[in-house]
């Protein structure tokens, strides 16, 4: 009887280990019910985001566990995070981003740069370089600038917020040429009374 009890416990532990080897299963509890039955309770992971690193796209859970390679279109609406370390830092960053729906709704991807700070790639291709610290204030400022000045609708390709005392905007090539032409016109027109 002792040998049979030990063998049943070993079998339950083996079944538990085999279940937990599946990345979709977070935890499993196996109870041996006599005679010859097992009660199995599992805790499943859910798909949380898509993670891209080294050209590979994977479905990950909230804790960063890779659940499977991305092959099924059923996960196409998950948020996309990119870069080394983004898998384990996605939950906290995306929770913060959710507090700023004005920014979140237009975000295509969150890119972790150097495992220390985030960039946002918006759906229209605009890149936003966030600071390493005080990300919440930067996101609040972005949201405010878009509400008040329609920042995301402007003819720009990048917004750099990495320096704490300034925001730098990079114009698109067309906008930069138009701005340059405007200044050329202003320089060539002389005001009355200007010295010759």
């Amino acid at each position: 009887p002792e040998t049979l009890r030990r063998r049943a416990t070993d079998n339950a532990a083996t079944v538990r280990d085999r279940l937990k080897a599946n990345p979709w299963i977070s935890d499993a509890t196996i109870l041996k019910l006599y005679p010859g039955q097992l009660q199995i309770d599992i805790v499943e992971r859910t798909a949380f985001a898509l993670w891209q690193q080294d050209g590979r796209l994977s479905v990950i859970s909230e804790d960063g566990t890779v659940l499977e390679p991305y092959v099924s279109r059923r996960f196409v609406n998950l948020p996309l995070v990119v870069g080394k370390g983004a898998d384990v830092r996605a939950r906290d960053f995306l929770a913060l981003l959710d507090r700023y729906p004005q920014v979140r709704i237009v975000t295509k991807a969150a890119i972790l740069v150097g495992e220390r700070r985030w960039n946002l790639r918006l759906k229209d291709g605009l890149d936003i370089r966030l600071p390493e610290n005080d990300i919440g204030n930067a996101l609040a400022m972005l949201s405010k600038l878009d509400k008040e000045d329609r920042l995301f609708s402007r003819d720009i390709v990048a917004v750099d917020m990495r320096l704490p005392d300034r925001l730098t905007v990079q114009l698109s090539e067309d906008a930069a040429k138009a701005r340059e032409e405007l200044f050329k016109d202003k320089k060539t027109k002389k005001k009355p009374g200007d010295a010759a």
Side-chain angles (χ1 to χ4, degrees), residues 1-17 30-34 36-38:
E2 181 62 36
T3 306
L4 288 175
R5 229 177 280 132
R6 195 176 316 123
R7 192 175 300 148
T9 304
D10 290 346
N11 288 342
T14 301
V15 169
R16 180 178 189 275
D17 290 344
I30 312 294
L31 295 175
K32 177 72 175 164
L33 303 176
Y34 293 97
Q37 292 183 344
L38 294 176

Side-chain angles (χ1 to χ4, degrees), residues 125-175:
L126 175 62
D127 283 318
I128 298 174
R129 298 174 188 116
L130 295 171
E132 189 171 344
N133 301 309
D134 211 10
I135 302 168
N137 280 342
L139 292 171
M141 181 190 294
L142 277 174
S143 186
K144 182 180 178 193
L145 286 169
D146 188 54
K147 282 179 189 170
E148 294 175 0
D149 300 323
R150 301 181 45 82
L151 178 70
F152 302 150
S153 302
R154 303 226 177 225
D155 197 4
I156 55 178
V157 294
V159 176
D160 193 338
M161 304 181 81
R162 293 176 291 179
L163 296 174
D165 60 340
R166 71 188 67 144
L167 179 137
T168 306
V169 175
Q170 180 182 345
L171 298 174
S172 72
E173 195 172 308
D174 290 341

Side-chain angles (χ1 to χ4, degrees), residues 5-161:
R5 229 177 280 132
R6 195 176 316 123
R7 192 175 300 148
T9 304
D10 290 346
N11 288 342
T14 301
V15 169
R16 180 178 189 275
D17 290 344
R18 287 177 62 193
L19 285 169
K20 287 192 68 173
N22 182 328
W24 285 95
I25 297 176
S26 171
D27 199 9
T29 305
I30 312 294
L31 295 175
K32 177 72 175 164
L33 303 176
Y34 293 97
Q37 292 183 344
L38 294 176
Q39 176 181 324
I40 301 173
D41 294 311
I42 62 171
V43 177
E44 290 182 89
R45 289 186 173 99
T46 57
F48 175 71
L50 297 176
W51 173 47
Q52 181 180 337
Q53 184 182 0
D54 299 330
R56 291 186 313 268
L57 199 57
S58 303
V59 179
I60 60 170
S61 66
E62 269 192 14
D63 66 0
T65 301
V66 173
L67 301 174
E68 65 181 55
Y70 175 71
V71 290
S72 173
R73 301 275 308 155
R74 70 184 175 138
F75 298 117
V76 73
N77 291 325
L78 291 175
L80 174 63
V81 294
V82 179
K84 184 177 179 185
D87 53 338
V88 293
R89 295 185 52 191
R91 175 179 49 199
D92 293 339
F93 180 74
L94 293 175
L96 179 62
L97 190 58
D98 279 339
R99 293 173 43 198
Y100 304 94
Q102 185 96 5
V103 179
R104 175 69 186 254
I105 199 164
V106 295
T107 298
K108 178 181 179 180
I111 303 153
L112 187 61
V113 179
E115 295 186 66
R116 57 183 178 74
R117 65 169 201 81
W118 292 92
N119 283 352
L120 298 178
R121 169 72 50 92
L122 303 191
K123 292 175 181 174
D124 65 357
L126 175 62
D127 283 318
I128 298 174
R129 298 174 188 116
L130 295 171
E132 189 171 344
N133 301 309
D134 211 10
I135 302 168
N137 280 342
L139 292 171
M141 181 190 294
L142 277 174
S143 186
K144 182 180 178 193
L145 286 169
D146 188 54
K147 282 179 189 170
E148 294 175 0
D149 300 323
R150 301 181 45 82
L151 178 70
F152 302 150
S153 302
R154 303 226 177 225
D155 197 4
I156 55 178
V157 294
V159 176
D160 193 338
M161 304 181 81

